[in-house]
Amino acid sequence: MTNPFKDKVAVVTGAASGIGRAISNELVRMGATVIAADINLEGAKETASSIAEMGAKTAAKKVDVTKHDQVKQLIADVVKEQGRLDYIFNNAGIAFLGETRDMDISQWRQIIDVNMMGVLYGTLEAYPVMIKQGSGHIVNTASLAGLVPVPTETAYVTTKFAVVGLSASLRSEAKGLGVKVSVVCPGFVDTAIIRGFIPVNIRKEDHLKKMPRMMDVNKAARKILKRVRRNRSIILIGTDAHIIYFLQRYVPFVLNPLYLMMVKFLRTTRIED
């Protein structure tokens, strides 16, 4: 199979760490020019520096994906500097863990702005560029939580379901215009977003002790790009993701005891007023 990433230009948001950094590294190994974007400029620069050591073309950009004007400027700058945009990986995200009754509206706005609007801004700015080119691939990072309910992560699930819906619907529209759209739905991958979740009225340390065995992030990135190469619509990553998604689709009642256990455990760690 030919290498679709060679000599292509890719923007990766959330590139300072985790899946974003790993995808950036893998893209470079495949011959792509990568623009590593993140609100954490120092982290983005570290990613870019490690890529540059491979002799690859790269750049670091500070971008707050919750700001439409910054995302718009990012895409405009990349097209001006590189002459094109072949891939955008809308990967930046955050996670909250806690019950809905303990979350205030500012927390809802924060996670919606990053996980949902950040992906939307990247998609809307890259899409017309790719239509004009007659080619391009938009890859949005959702989560297994964008396909199945997770009762202790309602806000996170809300945003990730939105990303799956956006990506799946746009894929049909974009096909006739030469643009591809995929959505990535990882299970448990060892990243900062998993270990660095924002606790909402719970004891975070209790949950960190219960973390399951997770997939190596570099392995996850390789699997993601393999499926992007094949233009998969929904990219499930991890055995856990495949099994849970299968059960949710075909025998959802089997998962009900698991959901109840999750809620019960969460409430044992809840900080009472």
Side-chain angles (χ1 to χ4, degrees), residues 6-250:
K6 185 173 176 58
D7 299 323
K8 294 302 189 336
V9 177
V11 168
V12 182
T13 68
S17 63
I19 289 177
R21 175 172 285 185
I23 284 176
S24 298
N25 288 332
E26 290 299 322
L27 283 168
V28 164
R29 290 190 182 95
M30 295 182 182
T33 295
V34 174
I35 292 81
D38 203 290
I39 192 171
N40 175 5
L41 181 58
E42 289 306 310
K45 285 181 177 178
E46 288 176 10
T47 298
S49 294
S50 67
I51 291 171
E53 290 174 2
M54 304 179 204
K57 297 177 182 178
T58 184
K61 302 279 189 179
K62 181 174 182 178
V63 176
D64 180 350
V65 298
T66 71
K67 308 297 184 184
H68 183 205
D69 59 335
Q70 291 190 25
V71 177
K72 184 175 183 177
Q73 190 64 54
L74 168 68
I75 300 305
D77 288 347
V78 169
V79 174
K80 181 179 179 180
E81 294 163 7
Q82 304 295 332
R84 61 184 300 105
L85 174 62
D86 300 294
Y87 292 91
I88 184 166
F89 291 80
N90 291 305
N91 176 73
I94 59 172
F96 286 93
L97 181 64
E99 288 192 74
T100 305
R101 60 175 166 162
D102 292 321
M103 289 189 65
D104 61 37
I105 192 64
S106 66
Q107 291 168 318
W108 275 92
R109 285 180 176 140
Q110 183 182 357
I111 196 169
I112 288 171
D113 282 348
V114 176
N115 291 6
M116 189 167 78
M117 300 308 295
V119 170
L120 179 62
Y121 295 151
T123 297
L124 292 181
E125 293 306 320
Y127 190 37
V129 173
M130 293 177 176
I131 291 174
K132 186 176 180 179
Q133 293 173 172
S135 66
H137 200 149
I138 297 168
V139 184
N140 294 329
T141 299
S143 167
L144 175 61
L147 297 169
V148 303
V150 184
T152 58
E153 300 177 20
T154 302
Y156 184 73
V157 168
T158 299
T159 61
K160 295 304 184 178
F161 262 74
V163 171
V164 171
L166 164 67
S167 306
S169 298
L170 182 60
R171 182 180 173 91
S172 299
E173 290 184 32
K175 186 175 182 180
L177 301 172
V179 181
K180 302 171 184 176
V181 183
S182 300
V183 62
V184 181
C185 296
F188 283 97
V189 177
D190 195 357
T191 65
I193 195 172
I194 291 287
R195 298 188 183 278
F197 67 83
I198 302 167
V200 181
N201 205 41
I202 60 166
R203 295 186 298 275
K204 183 175 181 176
E205 62 276 10
D206 292 344
H207 289 270
L208 290 173
K209 292 175 185 176
K210 291 286 185 178
M211 287 288 182
R213 184 176 179 181
M214 293 183 278
M215 179 183 287
D216 174 74
V217 69
N218 296 306
K219 181 179 180 180
R222 289 192 293 272
K223 288 181 176 292
I224 289 168
L225 293 182
K226 182 178 180 180
R227 289 160 175 76
V228 169
R229 174 187 291 187
R230 294 176 178 175
N231 189 27
R232 295 285 180 83
S233 175
I234 296 175
I235 300 173
L236 290 165
I237 299 297
T239 303
D240 55 339
H242 284 85
I243 292 173
I244 293 173
Y245 181 50
F246 175 86
L247 293 175
Q248 177 63 31
R249 287 191 68 185
Y250 298 107

Side-chain angles (χ1 to χ4, degrees), residues 258-272:
L258 173 62
Y259 297 150
L260 292 173
M261 288 174 58
M262 292 169 66
V263 174
K264 183 177 180 180
F265 175 69
L266 181 104
R267 288 179 178 169
T268 66
T269 71
R270 187 169 181 266
I271 301 170
E272 298 292 345

